[in-house]
Amino acid sequence: MRTVTRTRAVHAAIGHDSAPRHVSGEALYIDDIPEPPGLLHLVAGRSDRAHARIVRLDLSAVRAAPGVVAVLTPADVPGRNDISPFAGDDPLFAGDEVMFHGQPLFCVAAESLPKARAAAALAVVAYEDLPALLEAEAAVGAGSLIEPTQTLRLGDARAAIAAAPRRLSGRLRIGGQEHFYLEGQVALVIPGEGQDLHVWTSTQHPTETQHILARVLGCPDAAVTVEVRRMGGGFGGKETQSVQWAAMAALAARLTRRPAKIRLDRDDDMAMTGKRHDFVTDWRLGYDAEGRLRGAAFEMASRCGFSADLSHAINDRAMFHSDNAYALPAAEIVSHRARTHTVSNTAFRGFGGPQGMMGIERALDAVALDLGLDPLDVRLTNLYGVAGDLTPYGQRVTDAVAHELMTELAEACDYRARRAAVRRWNAGDGHLKRGLALTPVKFGISFTTTHLNQAGALVHVYTDGSIHLNHGGTEMGQGLNIKVAQVAADAFQVPLGSVRITSTRTDKVPNTSATAASSGSDLNGMAALDACEQIKARLAAWAREAFGHAPVFTPDGVQVGPERLSFRDFVNRAWMARISLSAAGFYRTPDIHYDRATHTGRPFYYYAYGAACSEVAVDTLTGENRVLRTDILHDVGRSLNPAIDLGQIEGGFVQGMGWLTTEELVFDGEGRLTTHAPSTYKIPTAGDRPPVFNIAIWDRGENREDTVHRSKAVGEPPLMLAISVFSALTDAVAAVGGHRVLPDLDAPATPERILAAVADVRRRAAG
């Protein structure tokens, strides 16, 4: 890694601020907060139909059950029975019609959790079943969409493909993914005076929670204070879908004037909350004998679920990332957003970007196979910076570094020699086949909904030299708080221990955006820096008047002309002179714009890049597989904290690997999720981590845009490095047929799917 001039805080590899508390068990989560007297425990009663009309809902036995204090229904909502982020189509409780299996119908508030559960089971519900659309393709065929089909075009892709010397097409099914955060959905609400409520909730978006709760309760936003100290993971699953549970607790607290708490167990959480969108992608390419693309067309259909949630923006981002790191001379990208009778799918790390990238990567593997070329060479030939710089949505790529990253990684991990060794291995008669793939990531950084690219922060400097830091971002384990604290400590050149990290609260920093889109450090770091600079500007004006010199903040204190003061003495003197030591900072991302009507503009401030090389082994008798080695080179600009960034790269890759290999969501013919517990849904474990796992931060990385200390986002991009595993598995299965046919392998590449693909390759190769 590059040697940098170290300040006291930024660019230093510093551990997570809560790490000791995590290990010792002292870190407080919502379920650890001491339960106040009179606490009510909530359980939601849910539908056992995917689509039906409610003929009768008899809750008399529920209300009469021991320990029950209240039973909440749509009739009890004083405001609007709507928890949607914007579309107005997502009720807190179902009305006359249920739209997915598991939809909340009512909520029981009881003296204890067991009593609430027992009471909820006593509900009598009679249904009139209605036709249910469960799959994206069926919904698209029936015209059931959350919005009209969207199309993005660059040039005339159809003509370019038709005129190309060679053409290929195919279809790829891409499964969804459960967030599987360690801390499930949970909320605790304590009523105050009048309409006031204090809400502790595990959410990535405190402001949206505040606004929606006020909407449901029919009260001003200012009456609701939402607080988040930390989450036990979010991954997008707590951006919008945490609101439902906080709203139930808030409603119970408002109606009973007692504290209320809801905590979903794992089975209920998985059945009642949305996932990563599953996609069906049809692709067509035109190309020449060297593998240069002439035109590309992608048609995607995603299962959005019964309501819009964030599916508009998620599918937009999938369209924007259908190119991944490759310049497409002509492109047509069609996106169908299917409304189905399943739980509404929602944000998930990558926000549609991973699904968008999968199509082009599969297509380039097909091109390489067709031409007998190394897939890496086909990829290098078509990269931005080599083949062009204009994206399908009209943004120029001015920071293309994927070629540098990929060639540097290929040399470092000895890709060429290892690929030859894999071919020699596969030429043997054994049933174990190996595969190797090196794939890039180019991921746009910014919310594509432009107005969300803003953040606030609040900084207080106290007279003892300590600093109170609050910002609008939320800590979900990703290390946001320590990074922003490093920015504040560096601004004043004080020890990091002087900065007190505090809970995110809507009454301290209002009207903020979700901690999402990999923008937490970019937005909140700059907002905190703005607050610090405001205070420093006041101190400088005062110092010039009081001392005749501007102050210089150093790790050894504040130099004011010939005099050196400790930071504590300096700010204490300023306070005695009646100088304000508090500031509210604000930041808005510059130079971005996006016209959704035409899907054109500059939606991203910059791009984050990475490359990964993965080697796998596949047992062709059973379909079982293993990642043997992964090498990663990732660009995080000038890292604010290399220790945190390396952790994010490793964690993102492993989570992406799980999405593409083991994590399979299975719905039965009635729309019921059957993989709703760790016993049936398999996330990666420590044993699935590649035995050889080399991760490096690119030492030449530096953001060309004016981000906080020239850093780059790191939360989401590494997940897509795991596409290298899927391509390597495709390569290994293709070896069964002598690399003559492209395996028909969908994601996740479970042993069953791999075994079926092996049989299919053998059949087609023989034919």
Side-chain angles (χ1 to χ4, degrees), residues 361-375:
E361 295 299 340
R362 165 51 63 86
L364 292 181
D365 283 337
V367 169
L369 203 62
D370 177 55
L371 297 174
L373 298 176
D374 189 315

PDB file of all heavy atoms in Angstrom, residues 361-375:
ATOM      1  N   GLU A 361     -21.730 -10.111 -18.213  1.00  0.00           N
ATOM      2  CA  GLU A 361     -20.641 -11.032 -17.890  1.00  0.00           C
ATOM      3  C   GLU A 361     -20.918 -12.427 -18.458  1.00  0.00           C
ATOM      4  O   GLU A 361     -20.008 -13.090 -18.974  1.00  0.00           O
ATOM      5  CB  GLU A 361     -20.412 -11.081 -16.380  1.00  0.00           C
ATOM      6  CG  GLU A 361     -19.929  -9.772 -15.769  1.00  0.00           C
ATOM      7  CD  GLU A 361     -18.585  -9.308 -16.318  1.00  0.00           C
ATOM      8  OE1 GLU A 361     -17.827 -10.137 -16.869  1.00  0.00           O
ATOM      9  OE2 GLU A 361     -18.290  -8.100 -16.204  1.00  0.00           O
ATOM     10  N   ARG A 362     -22.153 -12.898 -18.355  1.00  0.00           N
ATOM     11  CA  ARG A 362     -22.494 -14.171 -18.972  1.00  0.00           C
ATOM     12  C   ARG A 362     -22.308 -14.102 -20.493  1.00  0.00           C
ATOM     13  O   ARG A 362     -21.770 -15.028 -21.128  1.00  0.00           O
ATOM     14  CB  ARG A 362     -23.932 -14.552 -18.620  1.00  0.00           C
ATOM     15  CG  ARG A 362     -24.575 -15.662 -19.463  1.00  0.00           C
ATOM     16  CD  ARG A 362     -23.735 -16.922 -19.586  1.00  0.00           C
ATOM     17  NE  ARG A 362     -23.496 -17.573 -18.340  1.00  0.00           N
ATOM     18  CZ  ARG A 362     -24.317 -18.455 -17.759  1.00  0.00           C
ATOM     19  NH1 ARG A 362     -25.454 -18.777 -18.346  1.00  0.00           N
ATOM     20  NH2 ARG A 362     -23.987 -19.015 -16.620  1.00  0.00           N
ATOM     21  N   ALA A 363     -22.731 -12.987 -21.094  1.00  0.00           N
ATOM     22  CA  ALA A 363     -22.634 -12.839 -22.547  1.00  0.00           C
ATOM     23  C   ALA A 363     -21.179 -12.846 -23.014  1.00  0.00           C
ATOM     24  O   ALA A 363     -20.850 -13.454 -24.044  1.00  0.00           O
ATOM     25  CB  ALA A 363     -23.332 -11.554 -22.983  1.00  0.00           C
ATOM     26  N   LEU A 364     -20.283 -12.197 -22.273  1.00  0.00           N
ATOM     27  CA  LEU A 364     -18.873 -12.179 -22.675  1.00  0.00           C
ATOM     28  C   LEU A 364     -18.226 -13.551 -22.502  1.00  0.00           C
ATOM     29  O   LEU A 364     -17.337 -13.926 -23.282  1.00  0.00           O
ATOM     30  CB  LEU A 364     -18.120 -11.112 -21.889  1.00  0.00           C
ATOM     31  CG  LEU A 364     -18.509  -9.669 -22.230  1.00  0.00           C
ATOM     32  CD1 LEU A 364     -17.693  -8.681 -21.405  1.00  0.00           C
ATOM     33  CD2 LEU A 364     -18.333  -9.387 -23.724  1.00  0.00           C
ATOM     34  N   ASP A 365     -18.655 -14.306 -21.490  1.00  0.00           N
ATOM     35  CA  ASP A 365     -18.185 -15.692 -21.392  1.00  0.00           C
ATOM     36  C   ASP A 365     -18.602 -16.480 -22.626  1.00  0.00           C
ATOM     37  O   ASP A 365     -17.844 -17.312 -23.144  1.00  0.00           O
ATOM     38  CB  ASP A 365     -18.753 -16.349 -20.130  1.00  0.00           C
ATOM     39  CG  ASP A 365     -18.030 -15.919 -18.864  1.00  0.00           C
ATOM     40  OD1 ASP A 365     -16.865 -15.491 -18.960  1.00  0.00           O
ATOM     41  OD2 ASP A 365     -18.634 -16.016 -17.777  1.00  0.00           O
ATOM     42  N   ALA A 366     -19.810 -16.230 -23.117  1.00  0.00           N
ATOM     43  CA  ALA A 366     -20.299 -16.920 -24.307  1.00  0.00           C
ATOM     44  C   ALA A 366     -19.490 -16.532 -25.544  1.00  0.00           C
ATOM     45  O   ALA A 366     -19.161 -17.382 -26.389  1.00  0.00           O
ATOM     46  CB  ALA A 366     -21.778 -16.604 -24.517  1.00  0.00           C
ATOM     47  N   VAL A 367     -19.159 -15.247 -25.664  1.00  0.00           N
ATOM     48  CA  VAL A 367     -18.354 -14.787 -26.798  1.00  0.00           C
ATOM     49  C   VAL A 367     -16.989 -15.470 -26.797  1.00  0.00           C
ATOM     50  O   VAL A 367     -16.508 -15.951 -27.840  1.00  0.00           O
ATOM     51  CB  VAL A 367     -18.201 -13.253 -26.761  1.00  0.00           C
ATOM     52  CG1 VAL A 367     -17.155 -12.787 -27.772  1.00  0.00           C
ATOM     53  CG2 VAL A 367     -19.535 -12.577 -27.028  1.00  0.00           C
ATOM     54  N   ALA A 368     -16.346 -15.510 -25.642  1.00  0.00           N
ATOM     55  CA  ALA A 368     -15.026 -16.137 -25.547  1.00  0.00           C
ATOM     56  C   ALA A 368     -15.087 -17.601 -25.935  1.00  0.00           C
ATOM     57  O   ALA A 368     -14.213 -18.115 -26.650  1.00  0.00           O
ATOM     58  CB  ALA A 368     -14.488 -15.978 -24.123  1.00  0.00           C
ATOM     59  N   LEU A 369     -16.127 -18.283 -25.466  1.00  0.00           N
ATOM     60  CA  LEU A 369     -16.282 -19.695 -25.786  1.00  0.00           C
ATOM     61  C   LEU A 369     -16.501 -19.884 -27.286  1.00  0.00           C
ATOM     62  O   LEU A 369     -15.924 -20.790 -27.912  1.00  0.00           O
ATOM     63  CB  LEU A 369     -17.460 -20.264 -24.994  1.00  0.00           C
ATOM     64  CG  LEU A 369     -17.484 -21.770 -24.740  1.00  0.00           C
ATOM     65  CD1 LEU A 369     -16.295 -22.200 -23.917  1.00  0.00           C
ATOM     66  CD2 LEU A 369     -18.771 -22.150 -24.019  1.00  0.00           C
ATOM     67  N   ASP A 370     -17.304 -19.021 -27.874  1.00  0.00           N
ATOM     68  CA  ASP A 370     -17.604 -19.120 -29.303  1.00  0.00           C
ATOM     69  C   ASP A 370     -16.360 -18.909 -30.156  1.00  0.00           C
ATOM     70  O   ASP A 370     -16.172 -19.579 -31.184  1.00  0.00           O
ATOM     71  CB  ASP A 370     -18.671 -18.088 -29.664  1.00  0.00           C
ATOM     72  CG  ASP A 370     -18.992 -18.077 -31.147  1.00  0.00           C
ATOM     73  OD1 ASP A 370     -19.331 -19.142 -31.692  1.00  0.00           O
ATOM     74  OD2 ASP A 370     -18.903 -16.993 -31.762  1.00  0.00           O
ATOM     75  N   LEU A 371     -15.494 -17.985 -29.744  1.00  0.00           N
ATOM     76  CA  LEU A 371     -14.315 -17.639 -30.538  1.00  0.00           C
ATOM     77  C   LEU A 371     -13.068 -18.421 -30.138  1.00  0.00           C
ATOM     78  O   LEU A 371     -12.023 -18.300 -30.799  1.00  0.00           O
ATOM     79  CB  LEU A 371     -14.026 -16.139 -30.407  1.00  0.00           C
ATOM     80  CG  LEU A 371     -15.113 -15.195 -30.931  1.00  0.00           C
ATOM     81  CD1 LEU A 371     -14.767 -13.753 -30.597  1.00  0.00           C
ATOM     82  CD2 LEU A 371     -15.303 -15.365 -32.431  1.00  0.00           C
ATOM     83  N   GLY A 372     -13.145 -19.182 -29.052  1.00  0.00           N
ATOM     84  CA  GLY A 372     -11.970 -19.895 -28.572  1.00  0.00           C
ATOM     85  C   GLY A 372     -10.922 -18.974 -27.985  1.00  0.00           C
ATOM     86  O   GLY A 372      -9.722 -19.273 -28.004  1.00  0.00           O
ATOM     87  N   LEU A 373     -11.359 -17.851 -27.431  1.00  0.00           N
ATOM     88  CA  LEU A 373     -10.456 -16.868 -26.838  1.00  0.00           C
ATOM     89  C   LEU A 373     -10.490 -16.961 -25.323  1.00  0.00           C
ATOM     90  O   LEU A 373     -11.453 -17.458 -24.730  1.00  0.00           O
ATOM     91  CB  LEU A 373     -10.860 -15.451 -27.267  1.00  0.00           C
ATOM     92  CG  LEU A 373     -10.807 -15.148 -28.767  1.00  0.00           C
ATOM     93  CD1 LEU A 373     -11.336 -13.733 -29.023  1.00  0.00           C
ATOM     94  CD2 LEU A 373      -9.383 -15.292 -29.301  1.00  0.00           C
ATOM     95  N   ASP A 374      -9.452 -16.431 -24.694  1.00  0.00           N
ATOM     96  CA  ASP A 374      -9.444 -16.324 -23.241  1.00  0.00           C
ATOM     97  C   ASP A 374     -10.487 -15.278 -22.844  1.00  0.00           C
ATOM     98  O   ASP A 374     -10.469 -14.154 -23.367  1.00  0.00           O
ATOM     99  CB  ASP A 374      -8.054 -15.894 -22.768  1.00  0.00           C
ATOM    100  CG  ASP A 374      -7.900 -15.968 -21.256  1.00  0.00           C
ATOM    101  OD1 ASP A 374      -8.821 -15.523 -20.534  1.00  0.00           O
ATOM    102  OD2 ASP A 374      -6.865 -16.462 -20.786  1.00  0.00           O
ATOM    103  N   PRO A 375     -11.397 -15.614 -21.922  1.00  0.00           N
ATOM    104  CA  PRO A 375     -12.415 -14.626 -21.515  1.00  0.00           C
ATOM    105  C   PRO A 375     -11.814 -13.322 -21.007  1.00  0.00           C
ATOM    106  O   PRO A 375     -12.418 -12.254 -21.195  1.00  0.00           O
ATOM    107  CB  PRO A 375     -13.184 -15.354 -20.408  1.00  0.00           C
ATOM    108  CG  PRO A 375     -12.980 -16.801 -20.688  1.00  0.00           C
ATOM    109  CD  PRO A 375     -11.593 -16.916 -21.260  1.00  0.00           C
TER     110      PRO A 375
END
